[in-house]
Amino acid sequence: MTSHNQEEINTNLKIFIAEIIKQDRPDSHLITVLHKAQELNGYLSREIMDLVSQEMNIPTSTIWGVATFYHYFKLNPVGKYNISVCMGTACYVKGGSEVLTAVKEELGIEIGQTTEDLLFSLHEARCIGACGLAPVAMINDKIYGELTPKKIVDILNNLKKESENTQIP
Amino acid sequence: MSTIKVFINDKEYTVESDITIMQACDAIGIKIPRLCYHPKLAISSGCRICIVEVEGMRNFVASCSYPVNEGMKIHTNTDEIRKARKDILELILDNHPKDCNACVRDEVCELQQLASTIGLRERKFEGVKREKYVDDSSPSIVNNHEKCILCGRCVKVCAQIQNISAIDYANRGFNTVIVPAFNDKIANSICTLCGQCVNVCPTAALTEKNYTQDVFKILNDKTKIKVAQVAPSVRVAIGEAFGIPAGSNMEREIAHALKLLGFDYVFDSQFSADLTIMEEANEFLERLNGKGKLPMITSCSSGWMKAMEQFHPDLIDNVSTCKSPMSMMSSVVKSYFADKIGKKSTDIINVAIMCCVAKKYEAQRPELAMEDGAHATDYVITTRELAWMIKSAGIDFKNLKGQDFDAPLGLSTGAATIFGVTGGVMEAAIRTAYELATNKPLENIDITSVRGNEGIKEGSIEINGQEIRVAVASGLGNAHKLLEAAKKDPNKYHFIEIMACPGGCIGGGGQPYAGIRDLPFDPKLVNERAKALYKADELNKIRRSHENPAIIKLYEDFLGKPLGEKSHKYLHTHYKQKFPKGIIRKSKEK
């Protein structure tokens, strides 16, 4: 996530769109634009999708259709810690779904959701290429391997503490 | 036009070279079963029901999209094809509810008819059912996801014909649904409630909100005066629901049936269409003389009014302040007519029978309410709903003797009849405006330039030496196009008529479903209905609204003069911008 304020995000996105729609078949760049929007804003908010609709002259229903089709697009704010539990074959066989359930129960959120304190977001991943360490989860850019339900809960608790300690009073 | 030879079911035929297999088969009289295909909408080859075998091809091909070529050997009816089609249909059906008998589309369901055509006589697959989710937030349209088979016709008609794009596919796989943007309720979306999606839906996934039970209930309430009014285009379409050929004018049967149903008075929305013309023609002449904005745009179509508020709020001052004929009638019934029969407006229940689902929304608009805040129109039912009520009450519609509408609000002119067809309001308005402005009779009152089924029409007429340029659009997609042109050059037109539905009200979202194995939203059907209205206009002795004796009397007894104080109180209104704001897609190359 960037620390830019909303106005800056919108301006940057508008500049990006203005450039891209000069090309042939501007509609075909919708996915690229949504990628950029998510990169700038962290997730695709209703306001951001409205902006894309206005700037690209594409109906919001179409944008909503694309945004809900691809797992990549996030429709809710993303937490400070973005958890992806791997559900690829190897991880699944080695107990990935128990790990996932443990995260859901510990944080009280479902896949695609973010905790109310905006600390954690939960996603599932399809193989992140660390099958040797199965089952694995990725939190932001760091991979945690050979997980058990207990291990992942400990990791989450440590992150909570870490976050409390780094908060400026 | 070049031709080629193809073999269809081992017989040789000469067909046009640039058509699809489906078109070639249609031309020789073989109708391949189809579902997502519609000739007026883009082809998506999604449902695969229309597959055929082409010799030399590895797989069966979708005939709706596959072009014919020289010497092609096509088989439409082999055992394998029949079995494959049956399997495909079963897979479409396996998550569809098995509640046909309790379904509002029972008897008129395209999916049911398709199953019968294909010969589906047992259900082998038992799929996971969709979650029951019903969006009945709007007073006009209900979206029942449980019944949706995702054929996509609604999405296409909304985007390609209406250029509104209120709905689209969302999510993926089994969770795919057709919803407004952001999963909003229809009532909170940009949906104009025109109901064209209902017309093309093959199942009961999209239907009008049904008020027939409420109306039956009120008909049994002896303390109320029940007043019905019937829109022009209802009378030339309702017969289709009874197997009577399209384009039969059933107005006398409708009046009779409504009396048998228990209505105390049966009036004609054509009377108030004449009234609309009196007000609108005078308003136009005022604007022409500098009082108000030009071009003036008509305001009869409820779907268009909602589209205007959300897509063209910059045109609010261009739109005529006249209420629609339905709302004018309801207003007059609850004021003038209530007085006349010595009743209070609260004693009266107004039921409007319309070809339209957006009118259900119009009836509930606060800006059209009576002084006491009550709705002027209490219930709106569609042509389809009335047809069902007639059947349900056991009325032998086909063999009714028929009767006239009640006086005084049942008398109308030919000008009012043609309100039901695109260009009709314009033609009626010109007939009256010309004669009011010039005090001379209009020599040729058939204004053919605004007739016909083109989406956009233009015409002009000279009034007192000034050339008046008019334009007409039907279907919101065409309306967007015409209005964009009018915005670019504000002096291009003086008067514009817009109807939300293709063909005008006769193509409305509340008209009877297509007959057994017919095409929904069929242009031929709409043409027949139009012809019937023009015929009725021609046969009417009075063809100018300002010559309607009942209208003249209404002004003498009650209203005073057009655009007078009472007219403003009962017959005019103002609209304001609504959100979310819709975007108008620029027309793009095909």
Side-chain angles (χ1 to χ4, degrees), chain B residues 510-524:
Chain B
Q511 295 285 47
Y513 289 119
I516 302 294
R517 293 176 189 87
D518 276 349
L519 185 70
F521 187 55
D522 186 347
K524 269 185 276 175

Side-chain angles (χ1 to χ4, degrees), chain B residues 33-35 49 89 92-93 96-121 123 147 149 153 201-204 513-517:
Chain B
R34 58 200 73 178
L35 184 56
I49 287 289
L89 184 64
I92 291 172
L93 280 167
H96 189 77
K98 290 179 178 170
D99 62 351
C100 291
N101 309 43
C103 180
V104 68
R105 286 289 300 256
D106 193 20
E107 282 197 323
V108 283
C109 174
E110 246 189 285
L111 193 61
Q112 215 177 40
Q113 290 163 18
L114 188 65
S116 147
T117 305
I118 301 264
L120 197 75
R121 286 295 169 258
R123 300 262 298 253
K147 309 237 168 175
I149 54 167
R153 278 193 203 156
C201 180
T203 73
Y513 289 119
I516 302 294
R517 293 176 189 87

Side-chain angles (χ1 to χ4, degrees), chain B residues 194-374:
Chain B
C194 72
Q196 289 304 322
C197 55
V198 177
N199 269 358
V200 297
C201 180
T203 73
L206 285 158
T207 57
E208 73 263 78
K209 192 177 250 185
N210 195 303
Y211 291 92
T212 53
Q213 298 307 325
D214 307 70
V215 174
F216 266 128
K217 202 167 169 194
I218 215 73
L219 286 171
N220 285 310
D221 183 346
K222 299 214 159 44
T223 65
K224 299 285 186 194
I225 308 285
K226 284 84 70 178
V227 179
Q229 59 166 308
V230 184
S233 51
V234 173
R235 65 204 68 193
V236 293
I238 195 168
E240 295 158 32
F242 296 89
I244 299 163
S248 309
N249 191 332
M250 310 300 289
E251 62 182 359
R252 292 178 49 78
E253 287 81 353
I254 293 174
H256 194 166
L258 287 168
K259 278 288 169 74
L260 290 177
L261 277 169
F263 283 97
D264 299 301
Y265 297 94
V266 179
F267 294 141
D268 194 346
S269 307
Q270 289 186 178
F271 169 85
S272 45
D274 278 330
L275 187 56
T276 305
I277 287 302
M278 291 301 289
E279 295 291 327
E280 200 159 352
N282 277 289
E283 183 187 354
F284 176 63
L285 294 175
E286 262 200 358
R287 286 181 189 237
L288 205 55
N289 290 328
K291 257 182 92 180
K293 237 176 159 179
L294 286 175
M296 184 170 94
I297 309 175
T298 59
S299 58
C300 309
S301 166
S302 318
W304 152 235
M305 289 324 288
K306 191 156 185 288
M308 187 278 291
E309 290 172 324
Q310 291 184 275
F311 288 78
H312 299 278
D314 48 331
L315 293 176
I316 282 182
D317 292 336
N318 293 77
V319 168
S320 161
T321 58
C322 290
K323 293 179 185 175
S324 74
M326 175 186 88
S327 291
M328 282 199 183
M329 174 64 92
S330 297
S331 208
V332 168
V333 167
K334 284 195 176 176
S335 54
Y336 166 74
F337 183 69
D339 277 354
K340 217 174 146 72
I341 58 169
K343 295 283 178 186
K344 295 198 296 281
S345 72
T346 46
D347 296 330
I348 294 178
I349 297 291
N350 272 322
V351 178
I353 293 114
M354 297 282 137
C355 42
C356 180
V357 296
K359 281 275 183 273
K360 291 171 188 269
Y361 169 78
E362 180 186 318
Q364 300 190 4
R365 273 179 181 271
E367 52 269 63
L368 300 174
M370 302 300 292
E371 271 168 298
D372 60 359

Side-chain angles (χ1 to χ4, degrees), chain A residues 27 46 57 61 65 68-69, chain B residues 165 171-172 184 584-586:
Chain A
D27 288 8
R46 186 178 179 134
N57 191 242
S61 59
T68 55
F69 185 87
Chain B
S165 292
N171 307 328
R172 68 149 93 189
D184 281 346
I584 299 153
R585 287 222 85 181
K586 310 267 173 346

Side-chain angles (χ1 to χ4, degrees), chain B residues 552-571:
Chain B
I552 296 168
K553 187 146 173 28
L554 178 68
Y555 278 105
E556 278 171 13
D557 290 357
F558 181 66
L559 290 169
K561 60 177 197 320
L563 308 181
E565 198 186 316
K566 274 207 170 145
S567 286
H568 270 288
K569 183 170 165 190
Y570 292 109
L571 309 179

